[in-house]
Amino acid sequence: MIKRLVIGLIGVFCIYVSNTYALTAFVGSGAFINQKGDILTANHVTIHGDLMNVEYKGKMYKADVIARDEANDLAVLHIKVTNDYAFPLAT
């Protein structure tokens, strides 16, 4: 059960790749659900891109989709975080 979320905008980006170009598009937002780098977002923002990135505090991170709930339009992304980027969860 999610008890706390980090306050702050997390931009979710999809990267579309073809044999001639790569296009990055902002597709949604999300919120950290723990201090391990897991982010709750909408499933519909994750289904069309070949790669996922998230932006937090002006830095871009590669994200992996680790869970989807299509019926409720939810997805969980994961980014690798270090102690330098650790943050307290808001209450």
Side-chain angles (χ1 to χ4, degrees), residues 3-86:
K3 295 182 179 179
R4 298 175 287 177
L5 298 177
V6 167
I7 298 172
L9 179 64
I10 299 168
V12 179
F13 296 81
C14 282
I15 302 172
Y16 306 92
V17 179
S18 78
N19 57 355
T20 56
Y21 68 91
L23 173 68
T24 301
F26 175 77
V27 293
S29 61
F32 284 103
I33 56 175
N34 60 34
Q35 292 179 302
K36 297 177 184 177
D38 294 335
I39 299 164
L40 183 66
T41 190
N43 183 58
H44 70 265
V45 304
T46 67
I47 58 176
H48 298 294
D50 297 308
L51 302 168
M52 300 296 303
N53 281 346
V54 299
E55 181 183 16
Y56 179 65
K57 291 189 174 182
K59 297 189 184 220
M60 196 70 73
Y61 302 89
K62 179 188 174 296
D64 296 309
V65 179
I66 61 170
R68 295 182 192 273
D69 180 347
E70 292 180 17
N72 293 299
D73 193 30
L74 295 172
V76 177
L77 305 177
H78 177 78
I79 63 171
K80 292 181 182 175
V81 294
T82 65
N83 288 339
D84 294 340
Y85 300 108

